[in-house]
Amino acid sequence: MNVNTREGRDAVGQRAPRSGGRTTAQRTRTTTAGVDRREETRARGAREFPTQGSAALRPAERTRATGAPSPRLRVAPPPPVRVPRAPFAGLIVVLVVGGVLGILAVNTKINENAFKLEKLQQQQAKLDVDQQQLEKEIADQKAPGNLTANARKLGLVESGDPAYIRLPDGKMIGIPHPAEGAPAITSQQGNGG
């Protein structure tokens, strides 16, 4: 395939400039005195590319039919991202209001539980006092003098010497007799009950 027919290129051996400048072919075409201009560009350090040999296979620049120079292209900045501010502001307001209401709810619950705790502590203190009083009454009722008085109230009387039965042979030791004594005035039996 010929370099001229590949990709519609007209100029053979001409490379497209990297930074949008002109090629040597464009420089030589625009001058009126071509030879003098070429000498001038060589003096400044510009190079010409030969069109024979391996240089002929280099990609050539496309020329436009109008002859107007191609505009320089540059990278455009990305378009700015526009985020709607109203939904974001609404979200922030909802979060703040929700946070404040949550804190108020937690504080209210803590205060309510504090009142319940205080009430339960007062009830516990009252029950502790009642328990101490009941334990004192039990200790008073266990006293020997109180046991005798309580027994007399129930109608019990003191007995004399008891009689015993020896189990291996069944022999009686002592004489059994019923208890004799006057029942207490406050006993149920003494009142005819």
Side-chain angles (χ1 to χ4, degrees):
M1 175 181 246
N2 191 349
V3 176
N4 292 336
T5 59
R6 187 178 347 144
E7 298 179 10
R9 296 180 183 153
D10 295 333
V12 178
Q14 298 297 321
R15 180 181 283 178
R18 289 187 181 183
S19 63
R22 297 184 308 167
T23 61
T24 54
Q26 289 173 339
R27 280 190 226 133
T28 57
R29 263 190 250 139
T30 57
T31 60
T32 55
V35 178
D36 295 337
R37 186 73 171 162
R38 266 192 241 162
E39 296 295 328
E40 195 176 305
T41 56
R42 276 193 200 139
R44 283 190 267 155
R47 289 190 268 164
E48 284 189 26
F49 296 98
T51 58
Q52 295 178 358
S54 64
L57 298 177
R58 292 184 185 147
E61 179 184 337
R62 292 184 187 177
T63 59
R64 294 188 175 200
T66 59
S70 62
R72 294 187 78 172
L73 298 177
R74 57 190 168 109
V75 177
V81 178
R82 301 244 180 211
V83 178
R85 295 183 187 263
F88 179 71
L91 176 67
I92 296 299
V93 168
V94 166
L95 287 176
V96 168
V97 169
V100 169
L101 290 178
I103 290 172
L104 287 175
V106 168
N107 284 340
T108 303
K109 195 67 174 173
I110 288 173
N111 289 336
E112 180 182 332
N113 289 339
F115 285 127
K116 285 181 182 178
L117 181 64
E118 183 181 352
K119 186 177 180 180
L120 290 174
Q121 285 175 344
Q122 290 174 353
Q123 187 178 2
Q124 178 67 35
K126 183 182 177 213
L127 291 174
D128 287 342
V129 169
D130 291 346
Q131 180 183 3
Q132 288 175 358
Q133 288 176 352
L134 291 173
E135 286 176 355
K136 183 180 176 198
E137 287 180 18
I138 290 172
D140 289 343
Q141 295 296 327
K142 286 183 180 177
N146 288 335
L147 283 176
T148 305
N150 288 337
R152 285 183 185 232
K153 284 181 187 177
L154 293 174
L156 301 174
V157 292
E158 290 186 38
S159 64
D161 295 329
Y164 300 100
I165 301 174
R166 194 167 48 195
L167 291 178
D169 58 359
K171 185 178 177 186
M172 289 278 271
I173 302 173
I175 302 171
H177 53 76
E180 295 176 359
I185 299 172
T186 59
S187 70
Q188 294 175 357
Q189 290 179 348
N191 289 335

